[in-house]
Amino acid sequence: MTTGRRAEVSGAGFAGLTAATALAKRGWKVRVHERSPELRTEGAGIVLWGNSLRVLDKLGATHDLESRAMRSPAYETRMNNSIKSQEEMEGVRWISVTRPHLFRTLLTAAREAGVEVISGSEIAGATPEGVVTLADGDTIEADLVVGADGVNSAVRDSLDIPLKRERSRDGITRFLVPRRKADLQRLEPDTEWDNYIDFWNLEPRVLRVLYVPCNEDEVYIALMAPVDDAQGSRVPIDLDLWTASFPHLAPILEEAAELPGRYYGYQTTRVDHWTEGRVAIIGDAAHAMCPALAQGAGTAMQNAWTLAEAATAASDADLAQALIDWERLERPYTDRAQDRSQYYADTRQMAEGSQFQGDILETALYDPTDPKRHEVAV
Ligand SMILES: Cc1cc2nc3c(=O)[nH]c(=O)nc-3n(C[C@H](O)[C@H](O)[C@H](O)COP(=O)(O)OP(=O)(O)OC[C@H]3O[C@@H](n4cnc5c(N)ncnc54)[C@H](O)[C@@H]3O)c2cc1C
């Protein structure tokens, strides 16, 4: 079934590929423009929660994704290398996967749904009327334009959407390394090394390591240090510094020290509005957030799904109003996730352990595919 309508999507990241697939499955003719000459993703691993996993269920991608993913028995928090909490999070869906695996899974789903994905195609901007300008000056008309072109979105900036950017005091460098479970067990025999482990040291120096197994062979580690700590934020990493703080992780820190990497300062971008006429922005273009709740991509995917639903339900004449209504309904969930992530980044409260309770789980438990999600219970 086709709607006869055409969508042009800027950016083949997790947001753009999800929106493109969701639209194509609803009958849109969809083309994704990716600026990079190659289709691939940056980064190491990623945690996905129920909100995005439900979207992946609907896209028919969960089976492939979970064939090489990990659901850790617990989220463990350690302070100065002793255990503070082990949260089993019963009833909460969450997995960790490598970014290349998530990317390949989404790209396959997009292509199977009939999406055309073009690499080396940069979008310079768009108008509220749905005219997209490519970097080479060519223009294309679309019924819907999706700006999923990341934190420095050209689509967003071409529409002059006001934004505020706040940088936090911490940042992180990410690596994907072999798990070396046997070597870790030699150093700490009582540990299975299957938990997601959040290692914190606040004194005498703030350093944190996130240990995130993604499958039987690979672990994603994220090394956090304050922006103003030149030694801690150096890449390649200062192996002596990190092994002195986290001696039990020496085998995998040695692997990370051999790899190139990039230090990302945490930042939050808040934009004034997500839509202008026939254009909607999603993902980091609309709401880049600190990674504390691990929900930047999760909220991107939930908003991609609900955008496709809202745009398809609207007639062509009503599209602009439908996008405004979509933002009004969906945005508060993302704003709260952003606020909570920012709060955790500012306070470093996750170091206290036992943090995945109550309101903090709102985003993880949100079901963007439930048609009754906005009905008020009486
Ligand atoms: C350290 C760290 C850890 C994180 N951990 C998690 C986590 O565990 N879970 C989670 O859900 N989120 C996590 N996030 C957040 C998540 O990575 C991002 O929110 C998500 O990847 C954003 O996806 P996106 O598609 O919006 O943007 P991007 O991934 O930035 O994709 C944008 C795409 O658009 C392309 N592009 C840019 N400009 C143009 C243009 N003009 N024309 C055409 N193409 C263009 C880019 O090349 C890119 O491919 C983390 C982030 C960081 C920094």
Side-chain angles (χ1 to χ4, degrees):
M1 196 186 67
T2 66
T3 60
R5 292 197 273 176
R6 167 174 281 284
E8 301 286 339
V9 179
S10 178
F14 300 141
L17 289 174
T18 304
T21 311
L23 285 162
K25 279 185 169 284
R26 289 173 184 271
W28 291 69
K29 201 160 171 35
V30 188
R31 182 159 49 188
V32 179
H33 301 261
E34 169 52 48
R35 172 177 68 179
S36 304
E38 282 169 41
L39 296 176
R40 58 183 181 82
T41 181
E42 268 193 18
I46 190 159
V47 178
L48 297 175
W49 303 83
N51 53 327
S52 50
L53 292 173
R54 288 196 178 93
V55 172
L56 290 161
D57 292 344
K58 292 284 186 189
L59 299 184
T62 318
H63 179 73
D64 282 356
L65 190 71
E66 292 190 343
S67 66
R68 198 159 166 74
M70 176 100 185
R71 201 297 190 185
S72 286
Y75 187 108
E76 179 172 318
T77 304
R78 298 193 190 187
M79 172 60 76
N80 298 329
N81 295 314
S82 49
I83 297 173
K84 294 211 76 166
S85 65
Q86 288 179 325
E87 297 175 83
E88 290 176 11
M89 288 189 274
E90 227 170 280
V92 179
R93 238 180 120 186
W94 65 297
I95 59 168
S96 33
V97 290
T98 70
R99 283 185 184 244
H101 181 51
L102 174 61
F103 182 78
R104 278 192 299 270
T105 304
L106 282 172
L107 187 60
T108 302
R111 286 183 166 145
E112 283 176 1
V115 173
E116 184 187 358
V117 186
I118 320 173
S119 56
S121 180
E122 180 171 349
I123 287 190
T127 67
E129 294 74 30
V131 178
V132 172
T133 304
L134 299 173
D136 63 11
D138 280 359
T139 56
I140 316 167
E141 279 183 37
D143 299 297
L144 171 69
V145 179
V146 181
D149 44 357
V151 69
N152 296 313
S153 170
V155 169
R156 177 196 64 214
D157 293 347
S158 72
L159 294 164
D160 286 330
I161 297 178
L163 61 84
K164 278 197 194 131
R165 188 160 284 159
E166 246 178 280
R167 298 190 194 278
S168 297
R169 58 185 160 160
D170 295 328
I172 238 167
T173 308
R174 303 171 285 180
F175 302 96
L176 197 59
V177 294
R179 281 186 67 181
R180 298 194 51 184
K181 210 167 154 175
D183 295 325
L184 292 170
Q185 272 172 336
R186 260 191 289 281
L187 293 174
E188 198 176 282
D190 295 340
T191 298
E192 286 294 326
W193 293 100
D194 285 335
N195 281 352
Y196 180 124
I197 311 179
D198 192 352
F199 290 86
W200 287 86
N201 283 357
L202 295 180
E203 299 290 341
R205 182 179 196 141
V206 176
L207 292 175
R208 174 189 184 192
V209 178
L210 280 170
Y211 167 95
V212 190
C214 289
N215 52 55
E216 274 308 304
D217 310 311
E218 295 164 292
V219 59
Y220 153 46
I221 53 172
L223 276 52
M224 188 197 98
V227 175
D228 61 12
D229 178 349
Q231 192 188 7
S233 55
R234 183 185 304 157
V235 187
I237 62 164
D238 185 322
L239 186 59
D240 291 341
L241 171 73
W242 288 94
T243 46
S245 282
F246 304 100
H248 296 111
L249 295 176
I252 54 175
L253 291 169
E254 283 160 15
E255 298 277 354
E258 297 297 316
L259 297 174
R262 186 173 141 203
Y263 176 83
Y264 288 82
Y266 290 175
Q267 58 169 275
T268 304
T269 306
R270 292 188 171 84
V271 304
D272 190 68
H273 49 278
W274 289 0
T275 81
E276 279 275 354
R278 293 182 178 277
V279 185
I281 53 171
I282 55 170
D284 279 7
H287 50 72
M289 62 182 76
C290 298
L293 285 191
Q295 276 290 3
T299 49
M301 290 160 77
Q302 86 186 29
N303 293 325
W305 172 265
T306 56
L307 168 67
E309 180 187 50
T312 310
S315 68
D316 189 58
D318 294 337
L319 183 81
Q321 184 58 47
L323 298 186
I324 291 170
D325 294 342
W326 160 73
E327 177 180 349
R328 182 176 47 77
L329 281 172
E330 297 299 331
R331 183 168 173 162
Y333 298 93
T334 299
D335 284 349
R336 289 195 289 273
Q338 239 188 344
D339 290 346
R340 288 171 183 142
S341 294
Q342 171 88 57
Y343 171 79
Y344 270 144
D346 289 346
T347 61
R348 298 180 179 142
Q349 192 186 316
M350 290 190 90
E352 291 169 20
S354 301
Q355 294 299 305
F356 289 96
Q357 293 164 16
D359 288 353
I360 290 304
L361 288 171
E362 182 196 30
T363 325
L365 297 175
Y366 183 57
D367 183 356
T369 69
D370 177 0
K372 296 187 175 162
R373 65 192 179 281
H374 298 303
E375 282 180 13
V376 180
V378 276

